[in-house]
Amino acid sequence: MVRPPLPAADLAHVLTHTASLWPALAGERLFITGGTGFFGTWLLESIVHARQQLQLDIRATVLSRTPERFLARHPHLAGQEALDWWRGDIRDFDFPGQTHRHIIHAATETYVREQPEAPLTSFDAIVQGTRRVLDFALHTGARQVLLTSSGAIYGPQPLDRIHVPEQHPGAPDCADPTAVYGEGKRTAELLCALYHQQHGLDVKIARCFAFVGPQLPLDKHFAIGNFMNDVLQGRDIAIQGDGTPLRSYLHAADLVIWLLTILLRGAPLRPYNVGSDQALSIADLARQVATSLPGRERLVSIARTPEPGKPPARYVPDVARARSELGLEVHIPLADAIQRTLAWHLREGPAVPPCGKDQ
């Protein structure tokens, strides 16, 4: 299915809050992995928009195994002067010949694939892919590299912590095969530390949590996307759990602002949580989504009754470091973010079959 461009208002929002950053990228060529995913699509469209609006000579080389498949779905990005495509696998791609002073390693995003890869394959993609990108950074003389890591590296958030800070020493259970994503990202961060120590490579780390916005997949095990899919399909929302887990969501336009700021102004090897610190329960999230389209409101049902006295599970970042050191903020309120996302999906066309609700 052909997907429409991102909303002009969202791209203008990115440009407004990154205006001071783009001059540092004038005349530069970025190398971007994961450019065909949710994060990557937002980065590519923001780069194209900034180049056009600011008349900047900025280009990006985008690594992809099958660029033609992506461009068939996003024809508005085909033939863009700002984008060059480099075919290859993240684990063993050939190095392009041009010089790239800035690298954004955004491969391996946080949502679950409809048909998950084998755990070892996923781990190799994260770890071998990160090492390949770091080797390329040395080869090309990159000055700044951004790793999109994940809040999954903290493991389960302690029940007595309202927000999890970067200093939290928790970790996933390394004996649990389902922790492969979090452990892979932890290893990727360790590789960045080793390359910084041994080679002086400046790597910035963005620990990303949960997001919403146009291009959000609706058919993955990702609660907010599932709820939107139900509303777009005219279905009531059915929560399979008790609805108590607490989550927070950052709009993708704000995500791009945060990622570019961390790339250009963040301190090397000083991780920054990326996300919203404004928590709400899964049940309240469902109710908010269910009433976001006037005239098309839906009902919400919850399968299980909460256990009395049991604290809710949380996945909510502390973003005080990003605020105090980099001046980053949550600009788009969640209610607005949900409406913007639904409006874009209404432009896109029919939604997709239902998927289980992740908590």
Side-chain angles (χ1 to χ4, degrees), residues 123 126-127 130 153 182-192:
F123 189 78
I126 297 170
V127 177
T130 298
I153 70 129
E183 290 292 352
K185 288 296 190 180
R186 285 174 62 82
T187 306
E189 289 195 21
L190 175 60
L191 281 170
C192 293

Side-chain angles (χ1 to χ4, degrees), residues 163-241:
H163 302 91
V164 62
E166 290 89 349
Q167 303 91 333
H168 176 56
D173 180 0
C174 63
D176 179 4
T178 65
V180 63
Y181 178 79
E183 290 292 352
K185 288 296 190 180
R186 285 174 62 82
T187 306
E189 289 195 21
L190 175 60
L191 281 170
C192 293
L194 293 173
Y195 274 70
H196 178 76
Q197 179 189 57
Q198 186 165 332
H199 302 289
L201 188 63
D202 279 353
V203 184
K204 322 295 180 69
I205 298 172
R207 290 178 179 163
C208 300
F209 278 70
F211 305 93
V212 63
Q215 296 286 358
L216 178 76
L218 301 183
D219 57 345
K220 310 298 177 185
H221 296 284
F222 192 45
I224 195 167
N226 297 165
F227 297 158
M228 290 183 179
N229 189 24
D230 287 337
V231 170
L232 291 169
Q233 291 277 37
R235 296 188 296 258
D236 292 335
I237 297 175
I239 297 175
Q240 297 172 0

Side-chain angles (χ1 to χ4, degrees), residues 128-150:
Q128 292 181 13
T130 298
R131 185 155 193 183
R132 188 64 177 169
V133 169
L134 296 175
D135 284 339
F136 173 61
L138 296 178
H139 171 82
T140 197
R143 292 195 299 263
Q144 294 171 318
V145 180
L146 174 66
L147 169 72
T148 60
S149 185
S150 170

